[in-house]
């Protein structure tokens, strides 16, 4: 199940683990990404807390935790090669995985059709 936030993040739930990345739309808006800072594994985060930073040739932006949980994995490949986010934002360019407290919290986010309408 993939959900989308108004901040242009995608959330892919598998059990109680959610993978978080930015949408293709967000990657296009940012332009060439040159730097990414990720959270630390083990960090307890609250919904809305800034957990990652993205810098591109156009702007700097933050990624917020979509829900409460614990960071269980980060994608070091995008730190070494930030362009991976531009190349494959909804696949290999994911940012982090977190164990979430309440999977029901994802119900408030948009599905793919709602997100497509949102960005039009």
């Amino acid at each position: 199940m993939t959900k989308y936030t108004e901040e242009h993040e995608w959330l892919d739930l598998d059990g109680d683990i959610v993978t978080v990345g930015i949408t293709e739309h967000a990657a296009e808006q940012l332009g060439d990404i040159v730097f990414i800072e990720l959270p630390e594994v083990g960090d307890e985060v609250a919904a809305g807390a800034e957990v990652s930073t993205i810098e591109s040739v156009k702007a700097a932006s933050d990624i917020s935790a979509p829900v409460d949980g614990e960071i269980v994995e980060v994608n070091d490949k995008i730190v070494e090669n930030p362009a991976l986010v531009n190349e494959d934002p909804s696949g290999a360019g994911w940012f982090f995985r977190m164990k979430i407290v309440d999977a029901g919290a994802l119900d408030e986010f948009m599905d793919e059709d709602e997100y497509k309408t949102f960005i039009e």
Side-chain angles (χ1 to χ4, degrees):
M1 172 183 67
T2 303
K3 294 287 195 168
Y4 299 85
T5 72
E6 290 184 1
E7 291 77 30
H8 307 286
E9 297 169 14
W10 57 263
L11 317 169
D12 188 37
L13 183 65
D14 182 10
D16 62 352
I17 304 294
V18 67
T19 302
V20 179
I22 64 171
T23 64
E24 187 173 331
H25 176 77
E28 288 171 3
Q29 296 297 310
L30 284 167
D32 292 337
I33 297 171
V34 296
F35 174 79
I36 297 172
E37 182 178 273
L38 295 173
E40 296 288 325
V41 171
D43 283 358
E44 296 281 342
V45 296
E50 293 176 3
V51 292
S52 293
T53 301
I54 305 170
E55 292 180 11
S56 73
V57 294
K58 292 183 181 178
S61 182
D62 292 311
I63 301 280
S64 299
V67 291
D68 296 340
E70 177 187 353
I71 304 298
V72 294
E73 187 177 357
V74 295
N75 187 358
D76 290 324
K77 290 179 183 172
I78 64 170
V79 173
E80 298 161 13
N81 180 15
L84 193 56
V85 175
N86 294 108
E87 294 163 12
D88 190 12
S90 58
W94 61 275
F95 279 67
F96 57 88
R97 292 190 171 116
M98 56 189 296
K99 184 173 185 173
I100 59 175
V101 176
D102 175 18
L106 295 183
D107 292 343
E108 68 185 72
F109 298 114
M110 296 175 273
D111 64 23
E112 187 173 4
D113 289 339
E114 291 169 323
Y115 181 72
K116 284 179 180 176
T117 301
F118 175 73
I119 61 175
E120 287 177 355

